Amino acid sequence: MTHRVEQTTDPAAFLALAGEHLAADPVLSTVVSTTLGRAVDDPQRPEHPRWWAAVLDGDHVVGVGMRTAPFRPYPLYLLPMSEDAARALGGHLVATGEDVAHANGARASVEVVLGVLAEARGGGARVLEHDRLWEATRVVAPTGVRGSSRRATEADLDLVTAWCQAFMPEADRQAGRPPREGEGEHLDREWAADRVGHGLVWLWEVDGEVVHLTAHSATSFGVSRIGPVYTPAEHRGHGYAAALVAEVTDRILAAGDRACLFTDVDNPVSNGVYARIGYEPQTEMVRMELVEAGALTTPGPA
Protein backbone atom coordinates (compact mmCIF):
# COMPACT_ATOMS: atom_id res chain seq x y z
CA MET A 1 0.00 0.00 0.00
CA THR A 2 1.39 3.40 -1.01
CA HIS A 3 0.56 6.45 1.03
CA ARG A 4 1.19 10.10 0.40
CA VAL A 5 1.13 13.00 2.85
CA GLU A 6 -0.42 16.41 2.25
CA GLN A 7 0.64 19.14 4.68
CA THR A 8 -0.82 22.63 4.90
CA THR A 9 -0.86 25.74 7.07
CA ASP A 10 -4.35 26.64 5.75
CA PRO A 11 -7.00 25.46 8.27
CA ALA A 12 -9.90 25.91 5.84
CA ALA A 13 -8.12 23.84 3.19
CA PHE A 14 -7.39 21.10 5.70
CA LEU A 15 -10.98 21.07 6.94
CA ALA A 16 -12.12 20.58 3.34
CA LEU A 17 -9.61 17.76 2.88
CA ALA A 18 -10.00 15.90 6.19
CA GLY A 19 -13.36 17.00 7.60
CA GLU A 20 -15.13 13.78 6.64
CA HIS A 21 -12.38 11.71 8.29
CA LEU A 22 -12.59 13.79 11.49
CA ALA A 23 -16.39 13.56 11.58
CA ALA A 24 -16.32 9.76 11.30
CA ASP A 25 -15.13 9.45 14.91
CA PRO A 26 -15.59 12.90 16.45
CA VAL A 27 -14.70 11.86 20.01
CA LEU A 28 -11.31 10.48 18.94
CA SER A 29 -10.70 13.55 16.78
CA THR A 30 -11.88 16.11 19.35
CA VAL A 31 -8.52 17.84 19.87
CA VAL A 32 -7.86 18.18 16.15
CA SER A 33 -11.37 19.30 15.27
CA THR A 34 -11.65 21.93 18.02
CA THR A 35 -8.20 23.32 17.21
CA LEU A 36 -9.04 23.37 13.53
CA GLY A 37 -12.36 25.10 14.16
CA ARG A 38 -10.71 27.89 16.15
CA ALA A 39 -8.10 28.35 13.44
CA VAL A 40 -10.73 28.59 10.71
CA ASP A 41 -12.54 31.27 12.73
CA ASP A 42 -9.26 33.14 13.36
CA PRO A 43 -6.87 32.31 10.49
CA GLN A 44 -4.17 34.79 11.59
CA ARG A 45 -0.87 32.91 11.66
CA PRO A 46 0.72 32.64 15.12
CA GLU A 47 4.46 32.82 15.76
CA HIS A 48 4.69 29.17 16.85
CA PRO A 49 4.57 26.28 14.33
CA ARG A 50 1.04 25.62 13.05
CA TRP A 51 0.25 23.07 10.38
CA TRP A 52 -1.92 20.04 9.68
CA ALA A 53 -1.05 16.89 7.74
CA ALA A 54 -3.22 14.18 6.20
CA VAL A 55 -2.03 10.75 5.14
CA LEU A 56 -3.91 9.59 2.06
CA ASP A 57 -4.39 6.22 0.43
CA GLY A 58 -5.54 7.20 -3.04
CA ASP A 59 -8.18 9.85 -2.45
CA HIS A 60 -9.05 8.70 1.08
CA VAL A 61 -7.66 10.26 4.25
CA VAL A 62 -6.42 7.44 6.49
CA GLY A 63 -4.39 9.39 9.03
CA VAL A 64 -4.20 12.87 10.56
CA GLY A 65 -1.56 14.75 12.49
CA MET A 66 -0.99 18.36 13.38
CA ARG A 67 1.55 20.65 14.97
CA THR A 68 -0.44 23.52 16.42
CA ALA A 69 0.26 23.50 20.18
CA PRO A 70 0.94 27.06 21.36
CA PHE A 71 3.27 25.90 24.14
CA ARG A 72 6.83 24.61 24.28
CA PRO A 73 8.14 22.21 22.97
CA TYR A 74 5.41 22.50 20.29
CA PRO A 75 4.62 18.77 20.05
CA LEU A 76 2.93 16.87 17.27
CA TYR A 77 -0.58 15.59 17.90
CA LEU A 78 -1.51 12.33 16.18
CA LEU A 79 -4.81 10.51 15.68
CA PRO A 80 -5.09 6.73 15.36
CA MET A 81 -3.88 5.37 12.01
CA SER A 82 -2.39 2.20 10.61
CA GLU A 83 1.29 1.44 11.06
CA ASP A 84 1.89 1.98 7.34
CA ALA A 85 0.18 5.38 7.48
CA ALA A 86 2.18 6.39 10.55
CA ARG A 87 5.43 5.33 8.88
CA ALA A 88 4.51 7.41 5.86
CA LEU A 89 3.92 10.45 8.07
CA GLY A 90 7.18 9.88 9.93
CA GLY A 91 9.05 9.55 6.64
CA HIS A 92 7.48 12.78 5.41
CA LEU A 93 8.69 14.63 8.51
CA VAL A 94 12.20 13.25 8.02
CA ALA A 95 12.17 14.27 4.34
CA THR A 96 10.95 17.80 5.08
CA GLY A 97 13.37 18.29 7.99
CA GLU A 98 10.63 19.18 10.45
CA ASP A 99 12.33 20.12 13.73
CA VAL A 100 10.11 18.15 16.09
CA ALA A 101 11.08 15.98 19.03
CA HIS A 102 7.83 15.53 21.00
CA ALA A 103 4.45 14.01 20.18
CA ASN A 104 1.11 13.47 21.92
CA GLY A 105 -1.89 11.45 20.84
CA ALA A 106 -2.95 7.90 20.07
CA ARG A 107 -0.29 5.64 21.52
CA ALA A 108 0.41 3.39 18.52
CA SER A 109 0.64 6.34 16.13
CA VAL A 110 3.00 8.27 18.40
CA GLU A 111 5.25 5.26 18.90
CA VAL A 112 5.59 4.62 15.17
CA VAL A 113 6.09 8.23 14.04
CA LEU A 114 8.64 9.00 16.74
CA GLY A 115 10.27 5.65 16.03
CA VAL A 116 10.83 6.69 12.41
CA LEU A 117 12.26 10.04 13.52
CA ALA A 118 14.47 8.38 16.14
CA GLU A 119 15.86 5.93 13.61
CA ALA A 120 16.68 8.75 11.22
CA ARG A 121 18.43 10.76 13.94
CA GLY A 122 20.29 7.89 15.59
CA GLY A 123 18.53 8.14 18.95
CA GLY A 124 15.49 6.72 20.66
CA ALA A 125 12.15 7.70 22.16
CA ARG A 126 10.73 7.50 25.66
CA VAL A 127 7.35 7.91 27.33
CA LEU A 128 6.70 11.04 29.37
CA GLU A 129 3.06 10.46 30.26
CA HIS A 130 0.25 7.97 29.69
CA ASP A 131 -3.16 9.57 29.12
CA ARG A 132 -6.64 8.18 28.55
CA LEU A 133 -9.63 9.48 26.59
CA TRP A 134 -13.03 8.97 28.24
CA GLU A 135 -16.62 9.49 27.08
CA ALA A 136 -19.85 9.76 29.07
CA THR A 137 -23.18 8.73 27.59
CA ARG A 138 -24.97 9.06 30.93
CA VAL A 139 -24.35 10.92 34.17
CA VAL A 140 -24.39 9.56 37.71
CA ALA A 141 -24.51 12.79 39.70
CA PRO A 142 -23.13 12.73 43.24
CA THR A 143 -25.42 13.70 46.08
CA GLY A 144 -24.87 15.67 49.25
CA VAL A 145 -22.21 18.02 47.86
CA ARG A 146 -22.45 21.49 49.41
CA GLY A 147 -22.69 24.52 47.13
CA SER A 148 -23.95 25.35 43.68
CA SER A 149 -22.72 26.24 40.21
CA ARG A 150 -22.68 29.38 38.12
CA ARG A 151 -21.07 30.49 34.88
CA ALA A 152 -17.88 32.48 35.20
CA THR A 153 -18.09 36.15 34.22
CA GLU A 154 -15.56 38.80 33.29
CA ALA A 155 -15.35 39.71 36.99
CA ASP A 156 -13.86 36.25 37.62
CA LEU A 157 -11.12 36.59 35.01
CA ASP A 158 -8.21 36.97 37.43
CA LEU A 159 -9.22 33.85 39.34
CA VAL A 160 -9.94 31.84 36.18
CA THR A 161 -6.56 32.77 34.70
CA ALA A 162 -4.63 31.89 37.86
CA TRP A 163 -6.40 28.56 38.29
CA CYS A 164 -6.09 27.54 34.64
CA GLN A 165 -2.35 28.26 34.70
CA ALA A 166 -1.99 26.26 37.93
CA PHE A 167 -3.92 23.29 36.53
CA MET A 168 -1.26 21.47 34.49
CA PRO A 169 1.73 21.93 36.85
CA GLU A 170 -0.37 20.74 39.79
CA ALA A 171 -1.68 17.79 37.78
CA ASP A 172 1.95 16.79 37.18
CA ARG A 173 2.66 16.95 40.91
CA GLN A 174 -0.44 14.86 41.71
CA ALA A 175 0.85 12.22 39.29
CA GLY A 176 4.25 12.21 40.97
CA ARG A 177 6.16 14.14 38.30
CA PRO A 178 7.90 17.50 38.45
CA PRO A 179 6.15 20.06 36.21
CA ARG A 180 7.68 20.27 32.74
CA GLU A 181 9.02 23.39 31.09
CA GLY A 182 6.23 25.39 29.47
CA GLU A 183 3.49 23.26 31.07
CA GLY A 184 0.24 25.24 31.07
CA GLU A 185 1.76 28.51 29.90
CA HIS A 186 -0.74 28.72 27.01
CA LEU A 187 -3.69 28.84 29.43
CA ASP A 188 -3.12 32.55 29.86
CA ARG A 189 -5.44 35.53 30.37
CA GLU A 190 -6.28 35.74 26.67
CA TRP A 191 -7.21 32.04 26.65
CA ALA A 192 -9.29 32.46 29.80
CA ALA A 193 -11.05 35.58 28.49
CA ASP A 194 -12.02 33.75 25.30
CA ARG A 195 -13.46 30.78 27.21
CA VAL A 196 -15.28 32.97 29.72
CA GLY A 197 -16.61 35.19 26.92
CA HIS A 198 -18.11 32.16 25.19
CA GLY A 199 -19.72 30.85 28.38
CA LEU A 200 -17.47 27.79 28.57
CA VAL A 201 -16.21 28.17 32.16
CA TRP A 202 -18.21 27.12 35.23
CA LEU A 203 -17.50 27.74 38.90
CA TRP A 204 -18.67 25.99 42.06
CA GLU A 205 -19.40 28.18 45.08
CA VAL A 206 -19.86 27.34 48.75
CA ASP A 207 -21.15 30.11 51.02
CA GLY A 208 -20.16 32.72 48.44
CA GLU A 209 -16.60 31.41 48.00
CA VAL A 210 -15.48 29.95 44.69
CA VAL A 211 -13.92 26.54 45.39
CA HIS A 212 -13.70 24.81 41.98
CA LEU A 213 -13.53 25.43 38.22
CA THR A 214 -14.65 23.26 35.30
CA ALA A 215 -14.28 24.44 31.71
CA HIS A 216 -15.13 22.80 28.41
CA SER A 217 -14.52 23.31 24.71
CA ALA A 218 -16.92 24.68 22.15
CA THR A 219 -18.81 21.92 20.35
CA SER A 220 -17.13 20.56 17.22
CA PHE A 221 -18.67 17.78 15.12
CA GLY A 222 -21.18 17.34 17.95
CA VAL A 223 -18.58 16.81 20.69
CA SER A 224 -17.58 19.00 23.65
CA ARG A 225 -14.47 18.21 25.69
CA ILE A 226 -14.31 18.85 29.44
CA GLY A 227 -11.20 20.59 30.80
CA PRO A 228 -9.43 22.12 32.58
CA VAL A 229 -10.89 20.81 35.86
CA TYR A 230 -9.26 22.44 38.88
CA THR A 231 -9.78 22.52 42.64
CA PRO A 232 -7.27 24.38 44.85
CA ALA A 233 -5.55 22.07 47.33
CA GLU A 234 -7.35 23.54 50.34
CA HIS A 235 -10.76 22.68 48.86
CA ARG A 236 -10.08 19.15 47.62
CA GLY A 237 -11.79 16.05 48.94
CA HIS A 238 -15.30 17.49 49.21
CA GLY A 239 -16.76 16.28 45.90
CA TYR A 240 -16.81 19.65 44.15
CA ALA A 241 -15.09 18.38 40.99
CA ALA A 242 -17.42 15.40 40.69
CA ALA A 243 -20.48 17.59 41.20
CA LEU A 244 -19.58 20.24 38.64
CA VAL A 245 -18.14 17.91 36.00
CA ALA A 246 -21.33 15.84 36.28
CA GLU A 247 -23.48 18.95 35.92
CA VAL A 248 -21.56 20.34 32.94
CA THR A 249 -21.55 16.90 31.30
CA ASP A 250 -25.30 16.64 31.79
CA ARG A 251 -25.76 20.02 30.12
CA ILE A 252 -23.69 18.89 27.13
CA LEU A 253 -25.66 15.65 26.76
CA ALA A 254 -28.98 17.45 27.22
CA ALA A 255 -28.07 19.71 24.28
CA GLY A 256 -27.74 16.59 22.11
CA ASP A 257 -23.93 16.59 22.02
CA ARG A 258 -21.34 14.06 23.15
CA ALA A 259 -19.07 14.66 26.14
CA CYS A 260 -15.48 13.52 26.58
CA LEU A 261 -12.37 14.31 28.59
CA PHE A 262 -8.75 13.26 29.05
CA THR A 263 -7.05 12.02 32.20
CA ASP A 264 -3.50 11.29 33.22
CA VAL A 265 -3.35 7.53 33.87
CA ASP A 266 -0.94 8.13 36.75
CA ASN A 267 -3.45 10.34 38.59
CA PRO A 268 -5.73 7.88 40.46
CA VAL A 269 -7.88 10.66 41.92
CA SER A 270 -9.19 12.08 38.65
CA ASN A 271 -9.59 8.66 37.03
CA GLY A 272 -11.70 7.48 39.96
CA VAL A 273 -13.84 10.63 40.02
CA TYR A 274 -14.79 10.44 36.36
CA ALA A 275 -15.47 6.72 36.40
CA ARG A 276 -17.90 7.19 39.30
CA ILE A 277 -19.95 9.85 37.50
CA GLY A 278 -20.38 7.82 34.31
CA TYR A 279 -17.30 8.29 32.13
CA GLU A 280 -15.96 5.19 30.38
CA PRO A 281 -12.43 4.76 28.93
CA GLN A 282 -12.16 4.85 25.14
CA THR A 283 -8.54 5.11 23.96
CA GLU A 284 -5.05 5.01 25.41
CA MET A 285 -2.97 8.07 24.64
CA VAL A 286 0.67 8.92 25.27
CA ARG A 287 3.18 11.75 25.38
CA MET A 288 6.67 10.86 24.15
CA GLU A 289 9.93 12.61 23.34
CA LEU A 290 12.98 11.86 21.24
CA VAL A 291 16.23 11.42 23.16
CA GLU A 292 19.83 10.74 22.35
CA ALA A 293 20.73 7.06 22.57
CA GLY A 294 22.63 7.47 25.88
CA ALA A 295 19.66 9.13 27.57
CA LEU A 296 17.58 5.96 27.29
CA THR A 297 19.38 4.61 30.36
CA THR A 298 17.26 6.99 32.43
CA PRO A 299 13.76 6.58 30.97
CA GLY A 300 10.68 8.56 31.87
CA PRO A 301 7.56 7.02 33.41
CA ALA A 302 6.66 3.67 31.84
Side-chain angles (χ1 to χ4, degrees), residues 265-300:
V265 173
D266 292 324
N267 187 332
V269 176
S270 60
N271 285 275
V273 166
Y274 301 134
R276 286 194 295 274
I277 63 176
Y279 277 87
E280 298 180 352
Q282 302 297 311
T283 305
E284 298 304 305
M285 317 292 282
V286 73
R287 300 185 186 191
M288 295 182 69
E289 67 174 353
L290 294 180
V291 294
E292 296 180 357
L296 291 176
T297 59
T298 54

Side-chain angles (χ1 to χ4, degrees), residues 10-239:
D10 183 340
F14 189 77
L15 181 60
L17 174 65
E20 184 176 345
H21 180 79
L22 299 175
D25 197 334
V27 170
L28 274 178
S29 67
T30 175
V31 174
V32 175
S33 61
T34 53
T35 301
L36 190 59
R38 289 195 299 270
V40 169
D41 291 340
D42 182 14
Q44 184 176 352
R45 290 286 301 278
E47 293 183 2
H48 62 79
R50 193 183 76 170
W51 52 259
W52 295 264
V55 184
L56 293 99
D57 176 17
D59 294 329
H60 300 288
V61 175
V62 294
V64 163
M66 66 180 186
R67 195 179 188 197
T68 62
F71 53 87
R72 297 168 291 165
Y74 311 114
L76 294 174
Y77 188 87
L78 302 171
L79 294 182
M81 64 188 84
S82 70
E83 182 176 348
D84 286 344
R87 287 193 175 279
L89 180 54
H92 169 80
L93 297 176
V94 171
T96 57
E98 185 72 25
D99 182 21
V100 60
H102 291 73
N104 305 336
R107 179 168 184 167
S109 300
V110 171
E111 290 175 341
V112 172
V113 170
L114 283 194
V116 171
L117 292 173
E119 183 178 358
R121 299 178 189 181
R126 66 181 174 190
V127 173
L128 295 173
E129 180 180 326
H130 288 294
D131 298 315
R132 183 172 291 140
L133 174 63
W134 303 66
E135 181 180 5
T137 56
R138 62 186 180 89
V139 175
V140 182
T143 58
V145 180
R146 293 183 61 221
S148 59
S149 69
R150 65 172 176 85
R151 267 199 173 98
T153 69
E154 187 175 349
D156 301 302
L157 195 52
D158 287 344
L159 178 144
V160 170
T161 301
W163 284 9
C164 285
Q165 292 206 299
F167 164 69
M168 294 181 75
E170 291 201 24
D172 278 336
R173 294 187 186 97
Q174 277 192 311
R177 296 186 302 268
R180 293 187 287 273
E181 180 184 11
E183 195 78 286
E185 65 184 8
H186 64 295
L187 303 179
D188 57 12
R189 190 177 183 87
E190 182 180 357
W191 185 96
D194 176 76
R195 291 300 194 277
V196 168
H198 285 90
L200 302 174
V201 180
W202 293 80
L203 303 174
W204 192 266
E205 285 188 335
V206 177
D207 297 331
E209 180 182 8
V210 180
V211 296
H212 171 80
L213 174 152
T214 291
H216 62 101
S217 70
T219 302
S220 181
F221 292 115
V223 176
S224 182
R225 185 175 67 259
I226 300 286
V229 175
Y230 180 75
T231 308
E234 64 270 22
H235 296 303
R236 293 172 190 162
H238 300 287

